Amino acid sequence: MLVMLFAVVAAWAQMQDPTHFRVSQKQVSPTEVEVIFSGTIEKGWHVYSTGLADDGPISATVTTEKAEGAKPKGKLIPKGKEINTFDKVFEQNLRYFENSVQFVQKYEITGKTYHIKGFLEYGCCNDEMCMPPGNVEFDYQGKGPEDAPEAEEETAEEEKTDTAAVVPLMGDSIAADTTGVATTDLWKPVIKELQAYNGDDNQDRSLLYIFLMGILGGLVALFTPCVWPIIPMTVSFFLKRAKDDKKKGVKDAITYGISIVVIYVTLGLLITGIFGASALNALSTNAVFNIFFCLLLVVFALSFFGWFELTLPSSWTNKVDSKASSTSGLLSIFLMAFTLSLVSFSCTGPIIGFLLVDFATSGSFWGPAIGMLGFAIALALPFTLFAMFPTWLKSAPKSGGWMNTIKVVLGFIELAFALKFFSVADLAYGWRLLDREVFLCLWIVIFGALGLYLIGKLKFQSDWEGGEMDKPMPVICIMMGLCSIAFAIYMIPGLWGAPCKAVSAFAPPMSTQDFNLYKAHVVEAKYKDYDEGMAAAKAMGKPVMVDFTGFGCVNCRKMEAAVWTDPQVASKLENDYVLISLFVDDKTPLAKHIEVTEENGQKRTLRTVGDKWSYLQRSKFGANAQPFYVTLDNEGNPLGPSAVYKEDIDLYMKFLNTGLKNYKK
């Protein structure tokens, strides 16, 4: 039971460190030495191989800065289980490694002693973000053949290949001048200010959303055949048990309602307590779990359609029921509430399991408990109210076929969302079984069939058994059915590439669309330099939208194709903001190397323009993954929460509008 109630969360962690490299040297002979880079890669991430095309992601390369008594021998050699797949964004085959990788660079020893120094550069991405180019430095010395000449520095000529390079030495000491880095207030860290925007306000809204969704789920469960018929029986039992003391009957009913709340809130805390918020977060991107949950929702849907009935072992219910009968006081009432939870499982179990997935999306430890609180309040409130005002029972709708209609509708909804979970696994493994147009086809069929059912043109076996076959559908059902059919029609243009904003948060990304007639203008930033763009924005009196991106960032291109092409988004970026795009993998060398101290206290050398922008992102905003978007005022202060990869146009518009609103203040 607990397994089906796992919650998934996609919590954003600003600073990522998905790869861990160690470097060593191995002298295989008196005239040859190998520099070996051994890396472990966290699950869900991948490191790109060597020799990719120039217009693709970042290839693994070695740069040799010092070579005394040695010279590179051949290209950088990748070792491990290499995955080769075609990427539609870059329109080329991409090769990468998962879990682990090893890169080997050989050097020929030409002197009596040798001194080699340089660094490995590599690219790392997952399905939602990319890291700035990683650097692994090495500095080794050793002895060569006794009869070899004295070591000389190999700087006379520059040798370059598609995977390795020897560059002229810029001197033994790295320039300590930090010109261009943290020289103005525009570079001052705003990590705490950004965390304030990303943290408390969003969490408060998220917890309120979770609570309201819990109430909605409880109300839906209330009107199912497993719960609604129990209300009058339970209320009558409490009133009869206290014939001479109506206050005691009301008190018992209130205790009964509180017991229901305690049971479900405890369940929410138990889920998070056992697995922990971080484990639930990891499950959200776990392909195996998503496949499992997809199959589970399909089973729930078939159960709601009436194919079979999901029930817990009757012995459980009988034991709890007999225990409730043999005890008295508060314990008996609590056991009665627990019996309700068991008896109603066939209807409430699928709803609870589905809701708990949504409850954990805030990443908060309290998410499942808050959600279950809302669910339990909605479920328990009628028992208490009807006990306090028993005459209301006469006007309450009687049990009937309408409850079966609710179950069938829930079955369609569970089936639709099962595809969402399968889509996560499909994207993770690259199966390409559920591309965007296939997903939309299935949703069109599901919501079209739901519409036909609600207007009475489609029937299930349970409708025959309930004697509802010949009865016309209520007006409210017909209206909802027409809305469902209209929604199915709305999605049809999406088969040819229309954005279909209402489903963009559920459907696979536009990049998986095989047949796309929708071509739109992609916004391009006028400014590629932070300080220059900030100065221009101040002169124009406009806010800034900083886009930390990369030439080899797959997900950056996906966001630009799926979100920036939207007319509303494009208008905001071009007219209301000064857009600055900073490429963290820009290989343009800096006029002078810059030595900086990282947030962990370690020193790092900035060699390229991309290194400089990557340092800006880490030191000022406390983030290091791309794409990363942040709105700023003319003093470099954040105007709202940051944004990351999520192909949701409405969410991105909210991000931009929040920045504009706060700028005008």
Side-chain angles (χ1 to χ4, degrees):
M1 178 178 177
L2 291 177
V3 175
M4 87 172 75
L5 301 179
F6 276 155
V8 238
V9 61
W12 164 249
Q14 296 277 27
M15 295 295 284
Q16 302 278 340
D17 186 18
T19 59
H20 307 278
F21 272 91
R22 68 181 189 277
V23 60
S24 61
Q25 71 165 340
K26 178 182 179 183
Q27 190 164 348
V28 295
S29 72
T31 59
E32 184 177 303
V33 64
E34 294 179 346
V35 178
I36 304 170
F37 306 91
S38 302
T40 57
I41 310 166
E42 290 185 3
K43 190 172 182 62
W45 292 82
H46 54 264
V47 170
Y48 291 104
S49 186
T50 60
L52 301 182
D54 292 338
D55 56 350
I58 302 168
S59 300
T61 61
V62 161
T63 298
T64 305
E65 295 178 304
K66 179 188 285 285
E68 296 178 356
K71 61 181 181 181
K73 182 180 179 181
K75 299 179 178 181
L76 183 66
I77 303 171
K79 294 183 178 181
K81 186 178 179 181
E82 189 177 69
I83 299 172
N84 192 329
T85 183
F86 182 79
D87 187 89
K88 292 181 63 178
V89 175
F90 289 105
E91 297 183 342
Q92 60 178 267
N93 283 326
L94 298 183
R95 294 175 289 107
Y96 56 83
F97 298 89
E98 296 178 343
N99 302 320
S100 64
V101 65
Q102 193 175 80
F103 296 108
V104 179
Q105 178 62 56
K106 296 181 178 181
Y107 288 88
E108 180 184 349
I109 303 174
T110 59
K112 188 172 294 186
T113 61
Y114 68 87
H115 183 188
I116 50 178
K117 179 181 179 181
F119 60 92
L120 168 77
E121 185 177 65
Y122 62 93
C124 178
C125 295
N126 67 5
D127 291 333
E128 294 186 355
M129 65 190 78
C130 290
M131 304 299 295
N135 285 287
V136 184
E137 298 187 356
F138 65 92
D139 188 349
Y140 291 119
Q141 302 180 45
K143 295 182 179 180
E146 289 293 334
D147 57 350
E150 293 296 328
E152 292 185 5
E153 189 174 349
E154 299 284 346
T155 59
E157 63 177 303
E158 185 176 329
E159 178 186 342
K160 289 186 178 180
T161 68
D162 56 349
T163 56
V166 177
V167 298
L169 182 66
M170 294 188 64
D172 291 335
S173 63
I174 304 239
D177 179 22
T178 57
T179 302
V181 175
T183 56
T184 69
D185 287 343
L186 295 176
W187 284 69
K188 69 179 180 182
V190 291
I191 298 173
K192 291 183 179 179
E193 293 88 339
L194 196 58
Q195 286 176 343
Y197 278 118
N198 287 335
D200 297 337
D201 293 342
N202 288 341
Q203 186 176 18
D204 291 343
R205 284 193 294 267
S206 183
L207 290 178
L208 177 61
Y209 164 80
I210 288 172
F211 181 72
L212 294 177
M213 284 297 294
I215 290 179
L216 179 62
L219 292 175
V220 171
L222 185 66
F223 292 103
T224 58
C226 311
V227 179
W228 187 259
I230 299 177
I231 295 177
M233 292 187 295
T234 305
V235 172
S236 299
F237 170 79
F238 284 127
L239 294 177
K240 288 179 182 178
R241 201 166 80 159
K243 291 180 181 178
D244 301 328
D245 189 353
K246 289 187 177 181
K247 289 185 178 180
K248 185 178 185 304
V250 173
K251 180 181 177 182
D252 288 347
I254 293 175
T255 304
Y256 183 75
I258 293 174
S259 298
I260 293 174
V261 172
V262 170
I263 289 169
Y264 283 107
V265 170
T266 302
L267 174 63
L269 289 173
L270 191 63
I271 291 296
T272 311
I274 292 176
F275 300 103
S278 59
L280 295 173
N281 177 46
L283 286 174
S284 66
T285 54
N286 183 281
V288 175
F289 173 75
N290 278 278
I291 293 174
F292 167 78
F293 206 85
C294 166
L295 296 175
L296 196 64
L297 289 184
V298 171
V299 171
F300 286 160
L302 295 178
S303 172
F304 278 154
F305 289 153
W307 193 358
F308 52 84
E309 190 76 15
L310 279 175
T311 56
L312 293 174
S314 57
S315 58
W316 294 11
T317 307
N318 293 336
K319 286 181 180 179
V320 176
D321 192 36
S322 61
K323 190 70 175 176
S325 302
S326 61
T327 56
S328 59
L330 294 179
L331 180 59
S332 66
I333 296 175
F334 179 83
L335 290 174
M336 285 183 62
F338 194 64
T339 303
L340 169 69
S341 303
L342 296 178
V343 171
S344 63
F345 171 78
S346 60
C347 294
T348 59
I351 299 172
I352 294 171
F354 176 74
L355 286 175
L356 275 176
V357 177
D358 196 46
F359 292 161
T361 55
S362 68
S364 169
F365 178 89
W366 301 104
I370 294 296
M372 285 292 95
L373 175 64
F375 180 89
I377 288 175
L379 195 65
L381 198 58
F383 290 92
T384 305
L385 291 178
F386 283 132
M388 296 175 65
F389 308 100
T391 55
W392 288 6
L393 278 172
K394 297 179 181 179
S395 58
K398 305 300 181 183
S399 301
W402 59 272
M403 291 186 295
N404 179 70
T405 301
I406 291 177
K407 283 186 66 175
V408 173
V409 170
L410 288 175
F412 279 110
I413 294 174
E414 300 248 0
L415 198 60
F417 279 94
L419 294 174
K420 170 60 180 173
F421 292 101
F422 183 80
S423 175
V424 174
D426 184 64
L427 291 170
Y429 283 115
W431 294 330
R432 299 299 303 272
L433 297 176
L434 198 64
D435 287 350
R436 185 174 181 271
E437 64 270 28
V438 177
F439 181 94
L440 291 178
C441 275
L442 294 173
W443 265 38
I444 290 169
V445 171
I446 289 172
F447 284 97
L450 172 59
L452 292 175
Y453 175 78
L454 287 172
I455 65 175
K457 298 299 182 182
L458 179 66
K459 296 293 183 179
F460 285 83
Q461 181 66 32
S462 54
D463 296 309
W464 286 91
E465 294 171 354
E468 302 290 323
M469 285 298 296
D470 299 328
K471 293 184 178 180
M473 297 297 285
V475 174
I476 187 171
C477 288
I478 295 175
M479 297 302 295
M480 292 175 62
L482 293 176
C483 290
S484 183
I485 293 173
F487 180 60
I489 296 172
Y490 161 80
M491 290 186 286
I492 292 176
L495 302 177
W496 289 272
C500 294
K501 298 177 186 178
V503 297
S504 60
F506 304 99
M510 187 72 75
S511 58
T512 65
Q513 184 96 13
D514 291 321
F515 185 58
N516 189 355
L517 297 179
Y518 179 76
K519 301 294 181 183
H521 167 65
V522 178
V523 179
E524 291 188 11
K526 181 179 179 181
Y527 299 97
K528 306 294 176 63
D529 182 277
Y530 175 68
D531 296 287
E532 181 185 349
M534 291 297 293
K538 189 170 185 178
M540 289 185 279
K542 288 185 176 183
V544 171
M545 207 286 277
V546 181
D547 160 36
F548 285 97
T549 182
F551 295 112
C553 175
V554 178
N555 303 299
C556 302
R557 303 293 85 77
K558 289 180 180 178
M559 280 293 290
E560 291 161 10
V563 178
W564 284 19
T565 54
D566 180 78
Q568 296 181 76
V569 174
S571 176
K572 290 286 183 186
L573 293 177
E574 292 180 327
N575 301 322
D576 298 332
Y577 279 96
V578 170
L579 176 61
I580 305 174
S581 289
L582 304 178
F583 291 82
V584 299
D585 55 0
D586 188 337
K587 302 301 182 187
T588 304
L590 293 170
K592 183 181 288 187
H593 285 185
I594 303 169
E595 189 175 88
V596 297
T597 302
E598 296 277 24
E599 60 278 348
N600 57 10
Q602 295 183 349
K603 291 189 176 182
R604 185 188 176 195
T605 302
L606 309 183
R607 299 177 174 87
T608 66
V609 171
D611 290 343
K612 182 179 176 181
W613 303 141
S614 178
Y615 172 75
L616 171 66
Q617 184 184 2
R618 294 193 310 276
S619 62
K620 183 174 178 67
F621 302 109
N624 67 341
Q626 296 78 46
F628 181 82
Y629 312 102
V630 61
T631 55
L632 304 176
D633 64 16
N634 300 131
E635 306 303 321
N637 300 308
L639 293 169
S642 58
V644 293
Y645 173 82
K646 188 171 182 61
E647 295 183 28
D648 187 330
I649 293 171
D650 292 335
L651 188 64
Y652 204 81
M653 281 297 298
K654 183 179 180 182
F655 157 71
L656 294 176
N657 287 330
T658 299
L660 281 174
K661 179 181 177 182
N662 290 334
Y663 181 78
K664 292 176 181 178
K665 289 181 180 179

mmCIF file of all heavy atoms in Angstrom, residues 611-634:
data_model
loop_
_atom_site.group_PDB
_atom_site.id
_atom_site.type_symbol
_atom_site.label_atom_id
_atom_site.label_comp_id
_atom_site.label_asym_id
_atom_site.label_seq_id
_atom_site.Cartn_x
_atom_site.Cartn_y
_atom_site.Cartn_z
ATOM 1 N N ASP A 611 34.455 30.960 -19.047
ATOM 2 C CA ASP A 611 34.835 30.791 -17.644
ATOM 3 C C ASP A 611 34.383 31.990 -16.811
ATOM 4 O O ASP A 611 33.942 31.856 -15.670
ATOM 5 C CB ASP A 611 36.354 30.637 -17.527
ATOM 6 C CG ASP A 611 36.854 29.316 -18.083
ATOM 7 O OD1 ASP A 611 36.033 28.406 -18.266
ATOM 8 O OD2 ASP A 611 38.067 29.204 -18.348
ATOM 9 N N LYS A 612 34.519 33.184 -17.395
ATOM 10 C CA LYS A 612 34.157 34.411 -16.691
ATOM 11 C C LYS A 612 32.666 34.449 -16.391
ATOM 12 O O LYS A 612 32.249 34.777 -15.273
ATOM 13 C CB LYS A 612 34.564 35.606 -17.543
ATOM 14 C CG LYS A 612 34.304 36.969 -16.919
ATOM 15 C CD LYS A 612 34.779 38.079 -17.853
ATOM 16 C CE LYS A 612 34.460 39.460 -17.304
ATOM 17 N NZ LYS A 612 34.912 40.537 -18.220
ATOM 18 N N TRP A 613 31.839 34.099 -17.386
ATOM 19 C CA TRP A 613 30.391 34.123 -17.160
ATOM 20 C C TRP A 613 29.960 33.004 -16.222
ATOM 21 O O TRP A 613 29.011 33.163 -15.440
ATOM 22 C CB TRP A 613 29.652 34.043 -18.479
ATOM 23 C CG TRP A 613 29.997 35.114 -19.466
ATOM 24 C CD1 TRP A 613 30.135 34.982 -20.819
ATOM 25 C CD2 TRP A 613 30.252 36.507 -19.185
ATOM 26 N NE1 TRP A 613 30.464 36.181 -21.397
ATOM 27 C CE2 TRP A 613 30.536 37.139 -20.413
ATOM 28 C CE3 TRP A 613 30.269 37.271 -18.025
ATOM 29 C CZ2 TRP A 613 30.835 38.489 -20.513
ATOM 30 C CZ3 TRP A 613 30.576 38.624 -18.104
ATOM 31 C CH2 TRP A 613 30.852 39.217 -19.327
ATOM 32 N N SER A 614 30.629 31.876 -16.278
ATOM 33 C CA SER A 614 30.317 30.788 -15.354
ATOM 34 C C SER A 614 30.632 31.203 -13.919
ATOM 35 O O SER A 614 29.871 30.915 -12.987
ATOM 36 C CB SER A 614 31.123 29.541 -15.726
ATOM 37 O OG SER A 614 30.870 28.487 -14.832
ATOM 38 N N TYR A 615 31.751 31.904 -13.743
ATOM 39 C CA TYR A 615 32.117 32.409 -12.415
ATOM 40 C C TYR A 615 31.091 33.431 -11.927
ATOM 41 O O TYR A 615 30.705 33.433 -10.750
ATOM 42 C CB TYR A 615 33.510 33.034 -12.466
ATOM 43 C CG TYR A 615 33.890 33.753 -11.194
ATOM 44 C CD1 TYR A 615 34.242 33.048 -10.049
ATOM 45 C CD2 TYR A 615 33.870 35.150 -11.137
ATOM 46 C CE1 TYR A 615 34.579 33.708 -8.875
ATOM 47 C CE2 TYR A 615 34.203 35.815 -9.962
ATOM 48 C CZ TYR A 615 34.556 35.093 -8.832
ATOM 49 O OH TYR A 615 34.872 35.752 -7.674
ATOM 50 N N LEU A 616 30.631 34.306 -12.830
ATOM 51 C CA LEU A 616 29.602 35.286 -12.469
ATOM 52 C C LEU A 616 28.343 34.588 -11.972
ATOM 53 O O LEU A 616 27.755 34.978 -10.954
ATOM 54 C CB LEU A 616 29.277 36.171 -13.670
ATOM 55 C CG LEU A 616 28.069 37.109 -13.521
ATOM 56 C CD1 LEU A 616 28.341 38.163 -12.454
ATOM 57 C CD2 LEU A 616 27.726 37.769 -14.855
ATOM 58 N N GLN A 617 27.913 33.545 -12.669
ATOM 59 C CA GLN A 617 26.694 32.836 -12.284
ATOM 60 C C GLN A 617 26.838 32.204 -10.896
ATOM 61 O O GLN A 617 25.922 32.272 -10.073
ATOM 62 C CB GLN A 617 26.353 31.756 -13.314
ATOM 63 C CG GLN A 617 25.039 31.047 -13.028
ATOM 64 C CD GLN A 617 24.756 29.910 -13.989
ATOM 65 O OE1 GLN A 617 25.567 29.620 -14.875
ATOM 66 N NE2 GLN A 617 23.640 29.242 -13.825
ATOM 67 N N ARG A 618 27.996 31.600 -10.640
ATOM 68 C CA ARG A 618 28.199 30.943 -9.346
ATOM 69 C C ARG A 618 28.353 31.952 -8.213
ATOM 70 O O ARG A 618 27.749 31.808 -7.153
ATOM 71 C CB ARG A 618 29.441 30.039 -9.399
ATOM 72 C CG ARG A 618 29.322 28.854 -10.331
ATOM 73 C CD ARG A 618 30.445 27.850 -10.086
ATOM 74 N NE ARG A 618 31.756 28.491 -10.077
ATOM 75 C CZ ARG A 618 32.474 28.754 -11.159
ATOM 76 N NH1 ARG A 618 31.989 28.445 -12.353
ATOM 77 N NH2 ARG A 618 33.665 29.313 -11.069
ATOM 78 N N SER A 619 29.199 32.960 -8.434
ATOM 79 C CA SER A 619 29.526 33.872 -7.339
ATOM 80 C C SER A 619 28.393 34.846 -7.032
ATOM 81 O O SER A 619 28.158 35.184 -5.873
ATOM 82 C CB SER A 619 30.794 34.657 -7.686
ATOM 83 O OG SER A 619 30.601 35.460 -8.849
ATOM 84 N N LYS A 620 27.671 35.297 -8.044
ATOM 85 C CA LYS A 620 26.619 36.294 -7.827
ATOM 86 C C LYS A 620 25.275 35.654 -7.492
ATOM 87 O O LYS A 620 24.545 36.143 -6.630
ATOM 88 C CB LYS A 620 26.476 37.190 -9.059
ATOM 89 C CG LYS A 620 25.440 38.311 -8.882
ATOM 90 C CD LYS A 620 25.443 39.265 -10.060
ATOM 91 C CE LYS A 620 24.380 40.341 -9.911
ATOM 92 N NZ LYS A 620 24.665 41.269 -8.790
ATOM 93 N N PHE A 621 24.953 34.545 -8.187
ATOM 94 C CA PHE A 621 23.606 33.973 -8.054
ATOM 95 C C PHE A 621 23.584 32.622 -7.349
ATOM 96 O O PHE A 621 22.505 32.090 -7.087
ATOM 97 C CB PHE A 621 22.961 33.837 -9.432
ATOM 98 C CG PHE A 621 22.865 35.136 -10.176
ATOM 99 C CD1 PHE A 621 23.672 35.383 -11.274
ATOM 100 C CD2 PHE A 621 21.993 36.132 -9.772
ATOM 101 C CE1 PHE A 621 23.600 36.582 -11.968
ATOM 102 C CE2 PHE A 621 21.909 37.332 -10.450
ATOM 103 C CZ PHE A 621 22.720 37.564 -11.545
ATOM 104 N N GLY A 622 24.759 32.028 -7.083
ATOM 105 C CA GLY A 622 24.787 30.750 -6.383
ATOM 106 C C GLY A 622 24.218 29.610 -7.187
ATOM 107 O O GLY A 622 23.647 28.668 -6.638
ATOM 108 N N ALA A 623 24.363 29.667 -8.509
ATOM 109 C CA ALA A 623 23.859 28.606 -9.388
ATOM 110 C C ALA A 623 24.945 28.280 -10.410
ATOM 111 O O ALA A 623 25.829 29.094 -10.682
ATOM 112 C CB ALA A 623 22.579 29.046 -10.091
ATOM 113 N N ASN A 624 24.875 27.081 -10.975
ATOM 114 C CA ASN A 624 25.909 26.721 -11.940
ATOM 115 C C ASN A 624 25.406 25.860 -13.092
ATOM 116 O O ASN A 624 26.197 25.300 -13.841
ATOM 117 C CB ASN A 624 27.064 25.995 -11.234
ATOM 118 C CG ASN A 624 26.656 24.632 -10.683
ATOM 119 O OD1 ASN A 624 25.471 24.357 -10.502
ATOM 120 N ND2 ASN A 624 27.623 23.778 -10.412
ATOM 121 N N ALA A 625 24.091 25.733 -13.240
ATOM 122 C CA ALA A 625 23.538 24.923 -14.316
ATOM 123 C C ALA A 625 22.802 25.807 -15.317
ATOM 124 O O ALA A 625 22.334 26.893 -14.979
ATOM 125 C CB ALA A 625 22.588 23.858 -13.756
ATOM 126 N N GLN A 626 22.715 25.328 -16.549
ATOM 127 C CA GLN A 626 22.039 26.065 -17.605
ATOM 128 C C GLN A 626 20.917 25.197 -18.198
ATOM 129 O O GLN A 626 21.042 23.973 -18.212
ATOM 130 C CB GLN A 626 23.024 26.463 -18.715
ATOM 131 C CG GLN A 626 24.119 27.435 -18.291
ATOM 132 C CD GLN A 626 25.220 26.739 -17.537
ATOM 133 O OE1 GLN A 626 25.692 25.687 -17.961
ATOM 134 N NE2 GLN A 626 25.616 27.298 -16.401
ATOM 135 N N PRO A 627 19.829 25.824 -18.680
ATOM 136 C CA PRO A 627 19.585 27.264 -18.694
ATOM 137 C C PRO A 627 19.223 27.790 -17.308
ATOM 138 O O PRO A 627 18.647 27.082 -16.493
ATOM 139 C CB PRO A 627 18.408 27.416 -19.654
ATOM 140 C CG PRO A 627 17.666 26.123 -19.529
ATOM 141 C CD PRO A 627 18.711 25.071 -19.309
ATOM 142 N N PHE A 628 19.580 29.059 -17.089
ATOM 143 C CA PHE A 628 19.279 29.729 -15.827
ATOM 144 C C PHE A 628 18.912 31.165 -16.164
ATOM 145 O O PHE A 628 19.681 31.873 -16.813
ATOM 146 C CB PHE A 628 20.493 29.691 -14.902
ATOM 147 C CG PHE A 628 20.256 30.343 -13.561
ATOM 148 C CD1 PHE A 628 19.624 29.656 -12.537
ATOM 149 C CD2 PHE A 628 20.685 31.640 -13.317
ATOM 150 C CE1 PHE A 628 19.414 30.250 -11.305
ATOM 151 C CE2 PHE A 628 20.480 32.245 -12.090
ATOM 152 C CZ PHE A 628 19.846 31.542 -11.078
ATOM 153 N N TYR A 629 17.721 31.583 -15.758
ATOM 154 C CA TYR A 629 17.207 32.902 -16.100
ATOM 155 C C TYR A 629 16.940 33.696 -14.819
ATOM 156 O O TYR A 629 16.388 33.165 -13.849
ATOM 157 C CB TYR A 629 15.911 32.800 -16.904
ATOM 158 C CG TYR A 629 15.980 31.836 -18.056
ATOM 159 C CD1 TYR A 629 15.412 30.566 -17.967
ATOM 160 C CD2 TYR A 629 16.620 32.177 -19.250
ATOM 161 C CE1 TYR A 629 15.473 29.671 -19.025
ATOM 162 C CE2 TYR A 629 16.692 31.293 -20.313
ATOM 163 C CZ TYR A 629 16.119 30.039 -20.196
ATOM 164 O OH TYR A 629 16.189 29.157 -21.242
ATOM 165 N N VAL A 630 17.321 34.983 -14.836
ATOM 166 C CA VAL A 630 17.071 35.828 -13.679
ATOM 167 C C VAL A 630 16.827 37.253 -14.162
ATOM 168 O O VAL A 630 17.477 37.732 -15.095
ATOM 169 C CB VAL A 630 18.257 35.770 -12.686
ATOM 170 C CG1 VAL A 630 19.539 36.258 -13.328
ATOM 171 C CG2 VAL A 630 17.947 36.541 -11.408
ATOM 172 N N THR A 631 15.844 37.923 -13.555
ATOM 173 C CA THR A 631 15.544 39.318 -13.888
ATOM 174 C C THR A 631 16.214 40.231 -12.867
ATOM 175 O O THR A 631 16.193 39.946 -11.663
ATOM 176 C CB THR A 631 14.027 39.564 -13.896
ATOM 177 O OG1 THR A 631 13.466 39.173 -12.632
ATOM 178 C CG2 THR A 631 13.360 38.754 -15.003
ATOM 179 N N LEU A 632 16.794 41.350 -13.346
ATOM 180 C CA LEU A 632 17.556 42.256 -12.488
ATOM 181 C C LEU A 632 17.113 43.695 -12.701
ATOM 182 O O LEU A 632 16.656 44.055 -13.792
ATOM 183 C CB LEU A 632 19.058 42.152 -12.784
ATOM 184 C CG LEU A 632 19.728 40.778 -12.674
ATOM 185 C CD1 LEU A 632 21.184 40.880 -13.108
ATOM 186 C CD2 LEU A 632 19.630 40.237 -11.255
ATOM 187 N N ASP A 633 17.305 44.512 -11.654
ATOM 188 C CA ASP A 633 17.131 45.948 -11.829
ATOM 189 C C ASP A 633 18.445 46.541 -12.330
ATOM 190 O O ASP A 633 19.400 45.810 -12.613
ATOM 191 C CB ASP A 633 16.651 46.607 -10.536
ATOM 192 C CG ASP A 633 17.670 46.499 -9.394
ATOM 193 O OD1 ASP A 633 18.854 46.190 -9.659
ATOM 194 O OD2 ASP A 633 17.288 46.724 -8.229
ATOM 195 N N ASN A 634 18.518 47.849 -12.430
ATOM 196 C CA ASN A 634 19.715 48.474 -13.017
ATOM 197 C C ASN A 634 20.909 48.515 -12.070
ATOM 198 O O ASN A 634 22.001 48.941 -12.472
ATOM 199 C CB ASN A 634 19.373 49.891 -13.482
ATOM 200 C CG ASN A 634 18.271 49.888 -14.533
ATOM 201 O OD1 ASN A 634 17.303 50.634 -14.432
ATOM 202 N ND2 ASN A 634 18.372 49.033 -15.537
#
